[in-house]
Amino acid sequence: MIGYKIHNLACELWGINRSITGEGVRRTLEHIKGQYLPSLNIKSVSSGTKVFDWIVPKEWRVNQAYIITPQGNKICDFSINNLHLVGYSKPFHGKMKLVELQKYLYSLPAQPKAIPYITSYYEERWGFCLTQEQRDSLNDGEYEVVIDSELFTGNLNYGELILQGQSNKEVFLSTYICHPSMANNELSGPTVVTYLAKWLSELPTRYYTYRFIYVPETIGSISYLSKNYKKMKKNVIAGFNVSCVGDERSYSYVPSRNGKTISDQVAKHVLKWIDPNYISYSWLDRGSDERQYCAPGIDLPIASILRTKYGKYPEYHTSLDNLDKVVTPKGLEGGYCALRRALEILEKNRTYKVNILCEPQMGRRGLYSTLSRKKSDPETRLMMNFISFCDGEHSLLDIAEKINIPAWRLYEIIDQLVSHDLILQI
Amino acid sequence: MIGYKIHNLACELWGINRSITGEGVRRTLEHIKGQYLPSLNIKSVSSGTKVFDWIVPKEWRVNQAYIITPQGNKICDFSINNLHLVGYSKPFHGKMKLVELQKYLYSLPAQPKAIPYITSYYEERWGFCLTQEQRDSLNDGEYEVVIDSELFTGNLNYGELILQGQSNKEVFLSTYICHPSMANNELSGPTVVTYLAKWLSELPTRYYTYRFIYVPETIGSISYLSKNYKKMKKNVIAGFNVSCVGDERSYSYVPSRNGKTISDQVAKHVLKWIDPNYISYSWLDRGSDERQYCAPGIDLPIASILRTKYGKYPEYHTSLDNLDKVVTPKGLEGGYCALRRALEILEKNRTYKVNILCEPQMGRRGLYSTLSRKKSDPETRLMMNFISFCDGEHSLLDIAEKINIPAWRLYEIIDQLVSHDLILQI
Amino acid sequence: MIGYKIHNLACELWGINRSITGEGVRRTLEHIKGQYLPSLNIKSVSSGTKVFDWIVPKEWRVNQAYIITPQGNKICDFSINNLHLVGYSKPFHGKMKLVELQKYLYSLPAQPKAIPYITSYYEERWGFCLTQEQRDSLNDGEYEVVIDSELFTGNLNYGELILQGQSNKEVFLSTYICHPSMANNELSGPTVVTYLAKWLSELPTRYYTYRFIYVPETIGSISYLSKNYKKMKKNVIAGFNVSCVGDERSYSYVPSRNGKTISDQVAKHVLKWIDPNYISYSWLDRGSDERQYCAPGIDLPIASILRTKYGKYPEYHTSLDNLDKVVTPKGLEGGYCALRRALEILEKNRTYKVNILCEPQMGRRGLYSTLSRKKSDPETRLMMNFISFCDGEHSLLDIAEKINIPAWRLYEIIDQLVSHDLILQI
């Protein structure tokens, strides 16, 4: 089961301290390149580079970070859980009373066993995150705070993999690698994308060219677009932002801004047949890099196929979003299969025209029962229904929607009809 | 009541052994031509003629067919019920044990009193159909099978009637004459069409030209189209395939492949007002000659108005589909009236433009109450509503839909407004 | 509260005997011009003038009208309630028995305390209206009927106010002044329109030009259109017929004939947010001057925003439609605010385009929280949603509909974004 393989990869990447810049991003990309996708290109953009309205921020490095309690215990130790440190915390070393320290602590009263995930990318701050239970157990007295971090001119990194197809028209997949140890809202994305890229790279032929990127969210996609959007606007015909594809609780869809692109059509088609109860969100519920890909003037046809969406499950952005209870091999496999179904449909979504006028005589081709009874068999009926829409105006997906069956039920029928010279791809 | 007349005609045609070719088709057409529609043309296509993807089959003649039981009784006698013989059975004469004979027998365990209707047009077979009750009563022993039939190079026949109108644009009605003694799924079609043709042929003027054909299903419509489709594509603006219009249980609609042609609009309008509970099928439920008329590249605007659709009633394709319990004068009259309403709307479906700006002063024309009270009367309101849409852009049918009344409620109003010179047909 | 001011104006106009022509119309217009809108133009069209299909009727003057009972009591006295006299009653003086008089009396058995409102504009009649209770109390005997009225060649009057804006494109508001002492179905219209005109005339700038007219219903709007429709067809981009905007029971909408004009969109948007239970009528429910404004060939984009629609409340067209129980300050204020919201949206309904590619960096502009937590705050989210649709293709109203918020929630956001140079009006 491929879900186990994907889950293994997620475990391999779990402990790395990813952020929007820094060593954690590079280590993540290098691991994927080294073990799974040798053709992955790891690229960099220098701190300070202007990317549209934004500036690539400094690189962040954490050597150590912790707090010493009045009793001499080390708590909030970054080396034990990287969520303890507010992301992008500036260096700090000092002593302070608990009442003062409290201003720098973040916890979740409603989820007393969860360490929250907090960042401060665009204003220099420091802080620690801890469970409410631990916070409540702190005693008065003097605490020593140690944050041995650096913010320095360095690079923002991302990974890019392009698989050339017969056509220069592209299908685009984007995922993000900027959260530390979290599972559904981080590792499910790059791990599923990696296995999709592996599958596509091993296909004997591809119609479309595939562009995969692994970027830090927001600043990464903006940086990438600032370099590539003109070419992408010209070539990208469909794509998905891949995030939160690892739990078992639901399937979900976030539309592109346009809402009617082929990516949207395919996503809704696949999800309808995989899970009729899938949750259909609106553009107003967006929250990942589709915000950039679909921004006015960029306008790429990017939708999202997800399991349980960011912000819609209780463990989101906490230490509880883990690889045990939230993200599972079965959940990852579901996310992988949904996206793979979608990519397969895009590959095969051509338009066909029947070669003859009126219905073909299927009987003499062995495609039809020769004995007329009360009912025709369902396979024959499906084939005749398909042919009836092969008018050169309906795509495979259009026809699947008209006949109300999964598009993949038609692949074999198409092969049969093409081999009998009854339909022609146009 | 015209239903009785139509039912009488059905009784006259009941006993004839129709099939897709042969004497039964000719006798049926000759009877209609002789007694009802002298202008009907009876045409023929030779066996072996290529018609699109098909070949016109051999002509089939049955002299006699029966089985002699071990006790010496004659059963499954074709001369008593033509459903006993599998349609297109090849000649056979021989003796066999019951166990062997069983391979050639067809019955319906779930309908033990029904003789099923079975054919084998495109592979040479033989067989007998009988009730399950009769089959269960057969004893072991030797049976003698006699099928004195012939399959020979002959003709496929069909009837064609063209009623010229002011316009060369055509309304097309097709019905089939290829089933032996069955009522709803055979005789209701040609009998209702015959009375529609009689009515139209007797009208003092017709706007459209009407093309009626009586064809064997599938091979007949394909043969007809192969000769006529170019002209029909140019001229046919609407039409209906007429089948299963004789029982009382329901009204139904099968769309054209396009689903939005004027034929579809008219059919849905008429049925909605005749029976708000009419059954609206999808193109996927099709099963008669609309399969050919709407095939890609043919694309004629042909929908179906039916009573209870083929395949949707228990007596379908059995000896129980008869002129006693299934098809009735009342049922036939309903089918006739629905189709006649549809044809009337097509004839009258023009676009009108009001001759003056703002509302006309109806009072001085005697078309409006002169005393203003709390409520205006419904007839006046209907007239004003109609006028409000006479903008040269809405057809009669469009307006009837907008006002939510049957189109036929507007015929008199249109006459009044035209006679007062308030609206102009454009 | 502006509702009280509007109600006061209604009280000032209450006692005037308005009809489609005559002194009552002039006095009403002069009062509005004198006290509220000095720029109002009072115009006249002579009796006998042909206006499209209609003739401007004679002017009607009533000096006195009453009935003397056999007991010598004066009843149905026009000077006490102008509804007692059938509108446009011709002069009459005579004596008659009760049985004869009954032919000229109108009352409402189902509303025994209401005097009905009856007119006979286009056929010369006379008659009296009274409560059913009073009618039932009449005794046999001889009655004297006195109607000292005149129908003479005079004028039809109407008021017109044009407020020039930056653009010559116009927003048009029409209301009627032809009913005697009735409140919702008469005075609510001209009083609300007067206060809307005051508000607009006092604005420092206006984008659109505003055209207000106060006309007798039907003949007035037809007369006005016959003079002005060509210019109006060229310039009017939106507008409302204002009627029945004074009670508290409901909000309602009557579409334009087209149903999809900007006026319709704005009306539905405003009403949805003011009262989700507002009643949406169809064009078939129309009954006021939209009949003329939307007639074929006129086709102005005029919809109606109402409180409880004419014909849909029990006091309609009776003496019970008064300024005490039916029309209230609160009711009028609701009508005023709904229309003002609609006009404000029209003024502001421009299209915007974001100035930069991808999302702007809101943080450094102080428009966004710099600390990323689990949820973004709703105001920020609203702003980002708005920006996401600033693609130069969606108007303010389109975006409000997409985001599903009242358009007026966006005014401040637009000001902020424009001042930060993030969006551009196109």
Side-chain angles (χ1 to χ4, degrees):
Chain A
M1 204 171 92
I2 198 163
Y4 285 102
K5 293 185 184 174
I6 303 171
H7 195 264
N8 282 346
L9 171 53
C11 293
E12 290 157 23
L13 299 171
W14 175 256
I16 302 174
N17 179 45
R18 282 168 296 276
S19 180
I20 54 174
T21 62
E23 197 54 32
V25 176
R26 280 188 293 273
R27 279 181 55 204
T28 301
L29 293 170
E30 279 156 10
H31 184 83
I32 293 170
K33 179 181 174 68
Q35 305 294 320
Y36 299 88
L37 298 173
S39 308
L40 184 70
N41 273 300
I42 302 175
K43 303 214 168 179
S44 60
V45 186
S46 311
S47 302
T49 305
K50 187 159 171 46
V51 288
F52 294 136
D53 194 47
W54 300 61
I55 306 286
V56 173
K58 290 182 182 159
E59 194 167 320
W60 184 53
R61 181 189 300 146
V62 182
N63 300 311
Q64 55 176 341
Y66 53 81
I67 298 169
I68 305 292
T69 65
Q71 292 72 38
N73 297 321
K74 189 186 275 189
I75 62 165
C76 295
D77 187 351
F78 173 80
S79 72
I80 289 173
N81 190 326
N82 51 30
L83 290 174
H84 277 312
L85 187 62
V86 166
Y88 257 59
S89 278
K90 61 184 177 187
F92 180 82
H93 191 173
K95 297 190 177 183
M96 60 188 71
K97 298 279 183 203
L98 178 60
V99 64
E100 173 67 10
L101 178 65
Q102 291 285 11
K103 297 179 193 166
Y104 301 93
L105 299 184
Y106 300 92
S107 58
L108 297 169
Q111 292 175 283
K113 292 181 189 302
I115 307 169
Y117 166 60
I118 306 282
T119 65
S120 181
Y121 295 140
Y122 300 101
E123 186 176 314
E124 292 202 356
R125 278 196 183 90
W126 67 264
F128 282 90
C129 303
L130 70 173
T131 67
Q132 186 65 37
E133 285 182 357
Q134 186 168 29
R135 187 175 190 168
D136 291 342
S137 72
L138 299 181
N139 300 313
D140 283 346
E142 196 169 66
Y143 287 78
E144 181 182 3
V145 174
V146 175
I147 303 179
D148 176 6
S149 69
E150 298 164 74
L151 285 159
F152 59 98
T153 298
N155 287 298
L156 174 147
N157 299 97
Y158 63 86
E160 181 193 59
L161 173 65
I162 293 176
L163 300 175
Q164 183 66 40
Q166 294 162 27
S167 167
N168 286 325
K169 292 292 168 191
E170 296 183 3
V171 174
F172 173 57
L173 271 88
S174 177
T175 191
Y176 51 80
I177 43 161
C178 56
H179 299 75
S181 301
M182 286 181 292
N184 196 40
N185 187 43
E186 172 72 6
L187 290 171
S188 70
T191 56
V192 163
V193 164
T194 297
Y195 272 91
L196 289 168
K198 256 178 79 69
W199 160 64
L200 277 159
S201 67
E202 290 161 6
L203 285 184
T205 61
R206 289 176 295 270
Y207 180 70
Y208 288 113
T209 293
Y210 288 80
R211 178 185 294 261
F212 297 88
I213 68 171
Y214 300 72
V215 291
E217 217 175 357
T218 307
I219 188 66
S221 53
I222 291 171
S223 299
Y224 191 81
L225 285 169
S226 76
K227 277 195 191 175
N228 297 286
Y229 83 102
K230 283 185 187 166
K231 191 174 177 195
M232 290 171 76
K233 273 175 78 88
K234 196 173 141 222
N235 287 337
V236 173
I237 62 103
F240 301 99
N241 188 64
V242 183
S243 157
C244 297
V245 288
D247 74 324
E248 298 179 19
R249 289 173 283 200
S250 61
Y251 285 91
S252 321
Y253 156 70
V254 176
S256 72
R257 187 167 72 94
N258 170 302
K260 294 177 182 172
T261 70
I262 185 71
S263 310
D264 293 285
Q265 294 170 45
V266 168
K268 288 191 277 187
H269 183 82
V270 167
L271 289 174
K272 175 172 74 176
W273 288 106
I274 285 183
D275 176 7
N277 299 314
Y278 83 92
I279 302 165
S280 185
Y281 289 101
S282 114
W283 170 249
L284 305 179
D285 299 308
R286 74 198 178 284
S288 183
D289 283 330
E290 69 283 353
R291 284 150 43 216
Q292 316 311 329
Y293 300 134
C294 302
I298 302 291
D299 289 316
L300 295 175
I302 306 304
S304 301
I305 289 174
L306 313 92
R307 301 293 315 239
T308 305
K309 195 178 84 83
Y310 39 82
K312 298 291 180 184
Y313 58 100
E315 305 88 353
Y316 172 70
H317 268 196
T318 76
S319 56
L320 304 181
D321 184 356
N322 60 35
L323 288 168
D324 300 324
K325 299 223 173 120
V326 173
V327 165
T328 62
K330 190 176 161 200
L332 290 162
E333 178 140 344
Y336 171 85
C337 288
L339 281 155
R340 183 166 154 172
R341 285 288 193 205
L343 298 176
E344 279 174 340
I345 293 175
L346 287 168
E347 273 287 295
K348 288 179 188 283
N349 191 37
R350 309 304 163 67
T351 300
Y352 297 91
K353 193 163 181 173
V354 65
N355 277 329
I356 51 176
L357 289 168
C358 291
E359 289 189 330
Q361 224 280 37
M362 307 304 274
R364 66 173 154 86
R365 295 180 174 87
L367 296 170
Y368 197 75
S369 166
T370 53
L371 186 72
S372 171
R373 285 174 183 258
K374 275 188 115 166
K375 291 184 183 175
S376 57
D377 78 289
E379 266 324 284
T380 302
R381 215 159 163 87
L382 179 52
M383 185 178 272
M384 298 314 288
N385 283 339
F386 178 75
I387 291 172
S388 89
F389 289 111
C390 287
D391 55 4
E393 288 171 21
H394 292 89
S395 71
L396 163 63
L397 182 62
D398 295 338
I399 299 178
E401 285 288 332
K402 288 218 168 237
I403 305 184
N404 200 30
I405 46 150
W408 46 92
R409 287 275 281 108
L410 293 171
Y411 299 163
E412 203 181 314
I413 285 174
I414 290 172
D415 289 346
Q416 272 193 292
L417 293 174
V418 167
S419 76
H420 279 90
D421 208 23
L422 282 173
I423 60 172
L424 191 72
Q425 184 189 304
I426 62 167
Chain B
M1 203 171 91
I2 198 164
Y4 285 103
K5 293 185 183 173
I6 303 171
H7 196 262
N8 281 346
L9 171 53
C11 293
E12 290 159 21
L13 300 171
W14 176 256
I16 302 173
N17 178 44
R18 281 167 297 276
S19 182
I20 54 173
T21 61
E23 197 55 32
V25 176
R26 281 188 294 273
R27 278 182 54 205
T28 301
L29 292 171
E30 278 156 10
H31 184 82
I32 292 169
K33 178 181 174 71
Q35 305 294 319
Y36 299 88
L37 298 173
S39 308
L40 184 70
N41 273 300
I42 302 175
K43 302 213 168 181
S44 60
V45 188
S46 310
S47 302
T49 305
K50 186 159 170 49
V51 288
F52 294 135
D53 194 49
W54 300 62
I55 306 286
V56 173
K58 289 181 182 161
E59 194 168 319
W60 185 52
R61 183 190 299 147
V62 182
N63 299 312
Q64 55 176 341
Y66 54 81
I67 298 170
I68 304 293
T69 67
Q71 291 72 36
N73 297 321
K74 187 187 276 191
I75 60 165
C76 296
D77 188 348
F78 174 80
S79 71
I80 289 173
N81 190 325
N82 50 32
L83 291 174
H84 277 311
L85 187 61
V86 166
Y88 258 59
S89 277
K90 62 184 176 185
F92 181 82
H93 191 171
K95 296 188 176 183
M96 59 188 74
K97 297 279 182 200
L98 179 56
V99 67
E100 173 69 10
L101 178 64
Q102 290 285 13
K103 299 178 190 166
Y104 302 93
L105 299 184
Y106 300 92
S107 58
L108 298 168
Q111 292 175 283
K113 292 181 187 303
I115 307 168
Y117 165 60
I118 306 282
T119 66
S120 180
Y121 295 140
Y122 300 101
E123 185 175 314
E124 292 203 355
R125 279 196 181 89
W126 67 263
F128 282 90
C129 303
L130 70 172
T131 67
Q132 187 65 35
E133 286 182 356
Q134 187 166 30
R135 188 174 187 169
D136 291 342
S137 72
L138 298 180
N139 299 313
D140 284 345
E142 196 169 68
Y143 287 78
E144 182 182 4
V145 174
V146 176
I147 302 179
D148 177 6
S149 68
E150 298 164 72
L151 285 160
F152 58 98
T153 299
N155 288 298
L156 172 150
N157 299 96
Y158 62 85
E160 180 194 61
L161 173 65
I162 292 175
L163 300 175
Q164 182 66 38
Q166 293 160 26
S167 167
N168 286 326
K169 292 292 168 193
E170 295 183 3
V171 174
F172 173 57
L173 272 87
S174 175
T175 191
Y176 51 79
I177 45 162
C178 55
H179 298 75
S181 301
M182 286 180 292
N184 196 40
N185 187 42
E186 171 73 5
L187 289 171
S188 69
T191 56
V192 162
V193 165
T194 297
Y195 273 91
L196 289 169
K198 256 179 77 71
W199 160 63
L200 277 160
S201 68
E202 289 160 8
L203 285 184
T205 61
R206 288 176 296 270
Y207 180 70
Y208 288 114
T209 292
Y210 288 80
R211 179 184 295 260
F212 297 87
I213 68 170
Y214 300 73
V215 291
E217 215 174 359
T218 306
I219 187 66
S221 53
I222 292 171
S223 299
Y224 191 81
L225 285 170
S226 76
K227 277 195 190 176
N228 297 286
Y229 84 102
K230 283 185 188 168
K231 191 175 178 194
M232 290 171 77
K233 274 175 79 89
K234 197 174 138 220
N235 288 337
V236 172
I237 61 103
F240 302 99
N241 188 65
V242 183
S243 156
C244 297
V245 287
D247 75 324
E248 299 178 20
R249 290 173 283 197
S250 61
Y251 285 92
S252 322
Y253 155 71
V254 176
S256 72
R257 187 168 72 95
N258 170 301
K260 293 176 181 172
T261 72
I262 185 71
S263 311
D264 293 284
Q265 294 170 43
V266 167
K268 288 190 278 188
H269 182 84
V270 166
L271 290 174
K272 174 173 73 177
W273 288 106
I274 285 182
D275 176 6
N277 299 314
Y278 82 91
I279 302 165
S280 185
Y281 289 101
S282 113
W283 171 251
L284 305 180
D285 300 307
R286 74 199 179 284
S288 183
D289 283 330
E290 69 283 352
R291 284 152 43 213
Q292 316 310 328
Y293 300 134
C294 302
I298 301 291
D299 288 316
L300 295 175
I302 305 303
S304 300
I305 289 173
L306 313 92
R307 300 294 315 240
T308 305
K309 194 177 86 82
Y310 39 83
K312 297 292 179 182
Y313 57 99
E315 305 89 351
Y316 172 70
H317 268 196
T318 76
S319 57
L320 304 181
D321 183 356
N322 62 34
L323 288 168
D324 302 321
K325 299 221 173 121
V326 173
V327 165
T328 62
K330 190 175 160 200
L332 290 162
E333 178 139 344
Y336 171 85
C337 287
L339 281 156
R340 183 165 155 172
R341 285 288 195 205
L343 298 176
E344 280 173 340
I345 292 174
L346 287 168
E347 273 288 294
K348 289 180 189 283
N349 191 37
R350 308 304 164 68
T351 301
Y352 297 91
K353 193 163 181 173
V354 65
N355 277 329
I356 52 177
L357 288 170
C358 290
E359 288 189 332
Q361 223 280 36
M362 307 305 274
R364 68 174 153 86
R365 293 181 175 87
L367 295 170
Y368 198 76
S369 166
T370 53
L371 186 73
S372 170
R373 288 176 181 256
K374 274 188 113 166
K375 291 183 182 173
S376 58
D377 77 289
E379 267 321 289
T380 302
R381 206 144 177 98
L382 179 52
M383 186 177 272
M384 298 312 289
N385 282 340
F386 178 74
I387 290 173
S388 90
F389 288 111
C390 286
D391 56 5
E393 287 170 23
H394 292 88
S395 71
L396 164 62
L397 182 62
D398 294 338
I399 299 178
E401 285 288 332
K402 287 217 168 240
I403 306 186
N404 200 28
I405 47 151
W408 45 92
R409 286 273 281 110
L410 293 172
Y411 298 163
E412 204 180 316
I413 284 173
I414 291 172
D415 289 346
Q416 272 190 293
L417 293 174
V418 167
S419 77
H420 279 88
D421 208 22
L422 282 173
I423 60 171
L424 191 72
Q425 184 189 305
I426 62 169
Chain C
M1 204 172 91
I2 199 164
Y4 285 104
K5 293 187 184 173
I6 304 171
H7 196 263
N8 281 345
L9 170 54
C11 292
E12 290 159 21
L13 299 171
W14 175 257
I16 303 173
N17 179 44
R18 283 166 296 276
S19 180
I20 53 173
T21 61
E23 197 55 32
V25 177
R26 281 188 293 273
R27 278 182 54 206
T28 300
L29 293 171
E30 280 157 8
H31 184 83
I32 292 169
K33 179 182 174 68
Q35 304 294 319
Y36 300 87
L37 299 172
S39 308
L40 185 70
N41 274 300
I42 302 175
K43 303 214 167 179
S44 60
V45 187
S46 312
S47 302
T49 305
K50 187 159 170 48
V51 287
F52 293 136
D53 195 48
W54 299 63
I55 306 286
V56 174
K58 290 181 181 163
E59 194 168 317
W60 185 52
R61 180 190 300 148
V62 183
N63 299 311
Q64 55 177 341
Y66 54 82
I67 298 170
I68 305 292
T69 65
Q71 291 73 36
N73 296 321
K74 188 186 275 190
I75 61 164
C76 296
D77 188 350
F78 173 81
S79 72
I80 288 173
N81 189 326
N82 50 31
L83 291 174
H84 276 312
L85 186 62
V86 166
Y88 258 60
S89 278
K90 62 183 177 185
F92 181 81
H93 190 173
K95 296 189 176 185
M96 59 187 72
K97 297 282 183 199
L98 179 59
V99 65
E100 174 67 10
L101 179 64
Q102 291 284 14
K103 298 178 192 166
Y104 300 94
L105 299 185
Y106 300 93
S107 58
L108 298 168
Q111 292 176 283
K113 291 182 189 302
I115 306 169
Y117 165 60
I118 307 283
T119 66
S120 180
Y121 295 140
Y122 301 101
E123 184 175 316
E124 293 202 355
R125 279 197 182 86
W126 67 264
F128 282 90
C129 303
L130 70 173
T131 67
Q132 187 66 35
E133 285 183 356
Q134 186 168 30
R135 188 175 188 168
D136 290 343
S137 73
L138 299 180
N139 299 314
D140 283 346
E142 196 167 67
Y143 287 78
E144 182 181 2
V145 173
V146 175
I147 302 179
D148 177 5
S149 71
E150 297 164 75
L151 284 160
F152 60 96
T153 299
N155 288 298
L156 172 149
N157 299 96
Y158 63 85
E160 180 194 60
L161 173 65
I162 293 177
L163 299 175
Q164 183 66 40
Q166 293 162 26
S167 167
N168 286 325
K169 292 292 166 190
E170 295 182 3
V171 174
F172 173 57
L173 271 87
S174 176
T175 191
Y176 50 80
I177 44 162
C178 56
H179 298 75
S181 301
M182 284 180 294
N184 196 40
N185 187 43
E186 172 72 5
L187 289 172
S188 69
T191 56
V192 162
V193 164
T194 297
Y195 273 90
L196 289 169
K198 253 177 81 69
W199 160 64
L200 277 160
S201 68
E202 290 161 5
L203 285 185
T205 61
R206 288 177 296 271
Y207 180 72
Y208 288 114
T209 293
Y210 287 81
R211 179 184 295 261
F212 298 87
I213 68 170
Y214 300 73
V215 291
E217 216 174 358
T218 306
I219 187 68
S221 53
I222 293 171
S223 298
Y224 190 80
L225 285 169
S226 76
K227 277 194 189 176
N228 297 286
Y229 84 102
K230 283 184 187 167
K231 192 175 178 195
M232 291 171 77
K233 272 173 80 88
K234 197 174 138 223
N235 288 336
V236 172
I237 61 103
F240 301 99
N241 189 64
V242 184
S243 156
C244 298
V245 286
D247 75 324
E248 298 178 20
R249 290 173 283 198
S250 61
Y251 286 91
S252 322
Y253 156 70
V254 176
S256 72
R257 186 167 73 93
N258 170 302
K260 293 176 183 173
T261 72
I262 185 70
S263 310
D264 293 284
Q265 295 171 42
V266 168
K268 287 189 278 187
H269 182 82
V270 167
L271 290 173
K272 176 174 70 176
W273 288 107
I274 285 183
D275 176 7
N277 299 314
Y278 83 90
I279 303 164
S280 184
Y281 289 101
S282 114
W283 170 250
L284 304 179
D285 298 308
R286 75 198 177 284
S288 182
D289 284 329
E290 70 282 354
R291 284 152 42 215
Q292 316 311 328
Y293 300 133
C294 302
I298 302 291
D299 289 316
L300 295 175
I302 306 303
S304 301
I305 289 173
L306 313 92
R307 300 292 317 238
T308 305
K309 195 178 84 83
Y310 40 82
K312 296 293 179 182
Y313 57 99
E315 305 89 352
Y316 172 70
H317 269 196
T318 76
S319 57
L320 303 181
D321 183 355
N322 61 34
L323 289 169
D324 300 323
K325 300 221 173 120
V326 173
V327 165
T328 62
K330 191 175 160 200
L332 289 162
E333 178 139 343
Y336 171 85
C337 287
L339 281 155
R340 184 165 152 172
R341 285 287 193 204
L343 298 176
E344 279 174 339
I345 293 175
L346 287 167
E347 274 286 296
K348 289 178 189 283
N349 191 37
R350 308 305 163 67
T351 301
Y352 296 92
K353 193 162 180 171
V354 65
N355 276 330
I356 51 176
L357 288 170
C358 291
E359 288 189 331
Q361 223 281 35
M362 307 304 274
R364 67 173 154 87
R365 295 179 173 89
L367 295 169
Y368 196 75
S369 167
T370 53
L371 186 72
S372 171
R373 286 175 182 257
K374 274 189 111 165
K375 289 184 182 172
S376 58
D377 78 289
E379 265 325 285
T380 302
R381 213 156 166 90
L382 179 52
M383 186 178 272
M384 297 314 289
N385 283 340
F386 178 75
I387 290 172
S388 91
F389 288 112
C390 286
D391 57 4
E393 286 171 23
H394 291 90
S395 71
L396 164 63
L397 182 62
D398 294 338
I399 300 178
E401 285 287 332
K402 288 218 167 237
I403 306 186
N404 201 29
I405 46 150
W408 47 93
R409 288 272 281 108
L410 293 172
Y411 299 163
E412 204 180 314
I413 285 174
I414 291 172
D415 289 346
Q416 272 191 291
L417 294 174
V418 167
S419 76
H420 279 88
D421 208 23
L422 282 173
I423 61 170
L424 191 74
Q425 184 188 303
I426 62 168

